């Protein structure tokens, strides 16, 4: 009974987090910094340390130390976001870029370990280099175009989060349709809100007629 309640509560919290990141990730940078810090740290620990496929498996297999570390990073993200939102936006870009680079992790690990026949410690260092490059690319995107990049990054993270949460079959054509639909919906909702903000701001700054 206790395991069922924990699983149900976890699912509700994760659904809320995924939906928030997907549809409203740009609006409140401090909250997004916490959510992205939590989810990205969880995924990195799950994949690189525990050998799992998703961050949720840390909870399913009761890896509470790693779960606590991910929660701690999320809290730090919220604190930084409240105090220094511009720094938080940069950290979101770096974390999201590193997280998205995990898509290439299996490919890189296979090429280095199976094709090049290099030892496991080299595989780890190459994988970390790929993740670092992804983080720096995300950082560059935020510096180049903050709001548009935040929309794109949070939609990608949100879609990935929902896919991991619901356990979609990655090889299914229906999965591709659902993921593309969610991504497009997230982009439309967030960008429409962003355009409304720009319009409201321009109306406030327009000089009054004489």
């Amino acid at each position: 009974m206790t395991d069922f309640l924990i699983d149900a509560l976890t699912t509700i919290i994760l659904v809320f987090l995924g939906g928030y990141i997907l549809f409203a990730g740009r609006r409140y940078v401090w909250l997004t910094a916490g959510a992205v810090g939590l989810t990205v740290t969880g995924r990195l620990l799950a994949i690189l340390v525990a050998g799992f496929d998703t961050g949720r498996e840390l909870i399913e297999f009761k890896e509470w130390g790693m779960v606590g570390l991910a929660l701690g990073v999320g809290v730090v993200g919220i604190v930084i976001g409240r105090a220094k939102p511009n720094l938080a936006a940069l950290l979101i870009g770096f974390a999201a870029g590193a997280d998205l680079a995990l898509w290439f992790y299996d490919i890189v690990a296979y090429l280095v370990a199976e094709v090049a026949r290099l030892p496991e410690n080299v595989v780890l260092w190459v994988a970390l280099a790929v993740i670092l490059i992804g983080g720096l690319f995300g950082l560059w995107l935020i510096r180049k175009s903050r709001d548009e990049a935040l929309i794109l990054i949070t939609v990608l993270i949100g879609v990935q989060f929902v896919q991991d949460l619901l356990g979609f079959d990655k090889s299914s054509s229906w999965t591709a349709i659902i993921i593309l639909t969610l991504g497009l919906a997230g982009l439309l909702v967030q960008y429409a809100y962003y355009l409304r903000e720009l319009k409201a701001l321009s109306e406030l700054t327009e000089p009054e007629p004489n």
Side-chain angles (χ1 to χ4, degrees):
M1 184 65 177
T2 302
D3 290 341
F4 171 77
L5 290 175
I6 292 175
D7 187 60
L9 181 61
T10 300
T11 300
I12 292 171
I13 293 173
L14 293 180
V15 166
F16 172 78
L17 271 179
Y20 165 77
I21 295 173
L22 177 60
F23 292 107
R26 189 195 66 86
R27 297 189 198 180
Y28 305 103
V29 171
W30 63 275
L31 186 55
T32 300
V36 170
L38 168 64
T39 56
V40 170
T41 302
R43 274 178 51 78
L44 288 172
L45 290 173
I47 293 173
L48 297 180
V49 179
F52 299 145
D53 293 323
T54 66
R56 180 169 182 168
E57 290 177 275
L58 294 177
I59 299 174
E60 293 176 356
F61 290 95
K62 297 181 172 58
E63 296 287 350
W64 300 123
M66 295 184 191
V67 172
L69 179 57
L71 287 170
V73 173
V75 171
V76 170
I78 290 174
V79 172
I80 293 175
R82 296 288 289 181
K84 297 183 180 295
N86 289 331
L87 175 61
L90 293 174
L91 292 176
I92 290 169
F94 183 86
D99 183 62
L100 294 172
L102 287 174
W103 285 353
F104 300 101
Y105 174 76
D106 290 336
I107 298 173
V108 171
Y110 173 79
L111 290 175
V112 175
E114 302 298 328
V115 178
R117 301 289 182 181
L118 295 176
E120 286 188 9
N121 62 327
V122 176
V123 175
L124 178 61
W125 283 108
V126 172
L128 290 175
V130 170
I131 291 170
L132 177 62
I133 291 170
L136 293 175
F137 179 72
L139 189 66
W140 175 81
L141 278 179
I142 294 293
R143 290 180 63 88
K144 189 75 174 175
S145 184
R146 181 181 184 274
D147 289 302
E148 289 85 350
L150 277 175
I151 292 173
L152 179 61
I153 284 172
T154 53
V155 166
L156 290 174
I157 291 290
V159 165
Q160 185 182 54
F161 192 90
V162 171
Q163 178 178 334
D164 290 344
L165 174 63
L166 299 180
F168 290 143
D169 180 5
K170 295 180 181 180
S171 62
S172 170
S173 58
W174 283 108
T175 297
I177 293 171
I178 292 170
I179 292 303
L180 286 173
T181 302
L182 285 174
L184 182 59
L187 281 173
L188 290 174
V189 170
Q190 290 210 54
Y191 199 69
Y193 186 85
Y194 173 55
L195 290 179
R196 288 198 297 269
E197 283 185 336
L198 290 180
K199 182 179 180 181
L201 183 61
S202 65
E203 290 174 351
L204 288 175
T205 56
E206 281 181 1
E208 294 184 1
N210 295 327

